[in-house]
Amino acid sequence: MRRKIAAGNWKMNGTAAALSELDALAASISDDRATVVICPPAPLLYRAVECTKSSPIQIGAQDCHVQTSGAFTGDISAPMIADTGAAYVILGHSERRDAHEESNSDVRQKVKAAWAANLTAILCIGESGDDRAANNTLDIIGGQLSGSLPDATTAENTVIAYEPIWAIGTGLVPSLEQIIEVHDFIRARLITRFGADIGNAIPLLYGGSVKPDNAGTIFQAENVDGALVGGASLKASDFAPIISALAAS
Ligand code: PGA
């Protein structure tokens, strides 16, 4: 049995007023069959940890620097994230790979930095619309996996999120067959590289326009162990039914 994880990526949304959504979300979680992680903007991390202390919600960041400290204005290191009490960090999101030109090798260094601070990495991979149109999806995914995942990857230190870039924030969702194809491919690659025990245990999330009305269908896929959710994680009333659909899957 793999861990089921519903992770919310708030991106650059939310000030202190948004923390009330965490209270509402905590109140709506009725069982522990799915791990729930919320990744708010960095200025909210400490307060989010404090206000979820007596709830099952875990807190994560959205990026970290590869170094632990130094002259890197505006950046945040993994030990700083861990110091807030957060336990996860999203790494290699397509918005970082794109707008901040992060390469697979940059992302791999960040994953190692996260582990060194005892954070669980949520590693994002995904093809562009052009890659898919050119039938390059599996090549791109395979390259991102081998380039971004360090050798010491385990099911405890890493979660992988497959997020087709063309599905993020667009309302477009791949067909269930397309999701199954990519998730099965990722699982096979993980088993080949890390062995059956680790490869079968690493949680694989789907991300990209997951909503309450499509989550149940997406969670039917055998190798989908949860979701990384952007827009629909901002309101507890949207995220709670996604968590329930995951728990029931
Ligand atoms: P979305 O974002 O759910 O708003 O499409 C997903 C993500 O970027 O993680």
Side-chain angles (χ1 to χ4, degrees):
M1 271 286 275
R2 279 187 291 273
R3 280 188 293 152
K4 294 180 181 180
I5 302 173
N9 174 9
W10 281 9
K11 307 191 180 184
M12 197 173 73
N13 296 294
T15 55
L19 296 170
S20 63
E21 294 297 328
L22 296 179
D23 296 333
L25 191 62
S28 74
I29 298 174
S30 54
D31 64 54
D32 59 2
R33 286 177 293 173
T35 299
V36 177
V37 184
I38 293 287
C39 302
L44 287 183
L45 281 174
Y46 177 75
R47 279 177 288 183
V49 167
E50 290 297 303
C51 78
T52 53
K53 275 225 161 106
S54 56
S55 89
I57 300 172
Q58 306 275 306
I59 299 300
Q62 299 172 13
D63 178 47
C64 73
H65 197 274
V66 297
Q67 302 291 338
T68 54
S69 63
F72 304 103
T73 302
D75 281 313
I76 297 166
S77 73
M80 291 171 179
I81 293 167
D83 187 50
T84 69
Y88 291 77
V89 59
I90 297 170
L91 294 171
H93 191 281
S94 62
E95 288 153 15
R96 301 282 321 173
R97 290 179 186 263
D98 182 26
H100 298 266
E101 298 183 354
E102 291 184 7
S103 67
N104 286 325
S105 143
D106 296 331
V107 175
R108 188 172 68 247
Q109 297 309 317
K110 290 183 176 207
V111 172
K112 288 185 185 170
W115 294 348
N118 284 320
L119 298 172
T120 299
I122 303 176
L123 170 71
C124 301
I125 55 176
E127 83 285 3
S128 68
D130 286 349
D131 295 329
R132 179 156 288 271
N135 259 329
N136 285 335
T137 299
L138 298 184
D139 279 352
I140 295 289
I141 297 298
Q144 289 175 333
L145 276 178
S146 54
S148 308
L149 273 180
D151 289 335
T153 296
T154 69
E156 285 69 45
N157 64 23
T158 304
V159 175
I160 295 173
Y162 166 57
E163 299 204 303
I165 298 168
W166 50 274
I168 295 176
T170 59
L172 299 172
V173 184
S175 67
L176 186 58
E177 289 68 33
Q178 288 172 321
I179 293 175
I180 289 171
E181 180 190 31
V182 177
H183 279 249
D184 288 358
F185 173 82
I186 296 170
R187 179 71 63 211
R189 281 292 170 101
L190 295 176
I191 290 169
T192 302
R193 178 160 170 205
F194 301 109
D197 285 354
I198 293 174
N200 276 317
I202 295 172
L204 302 187
L205 314 186
Y206 168 78
S209 297
V210 177
K211 306 290 177 200
D213 63 359
N214 61 23
T217 304
I218 293 166
F219 296 144
Q220 286 171 12
E222 188 194 329
N223 279 310
V224 172
D225 307 308
L228 179 56
V229 182
S233 71
L234 294 172
K235 293 273 167 245
S237 54
D238 290 329
F239 200 35
I242 295 174
I243 296 166
S244 301
L246 179 62
S249 69

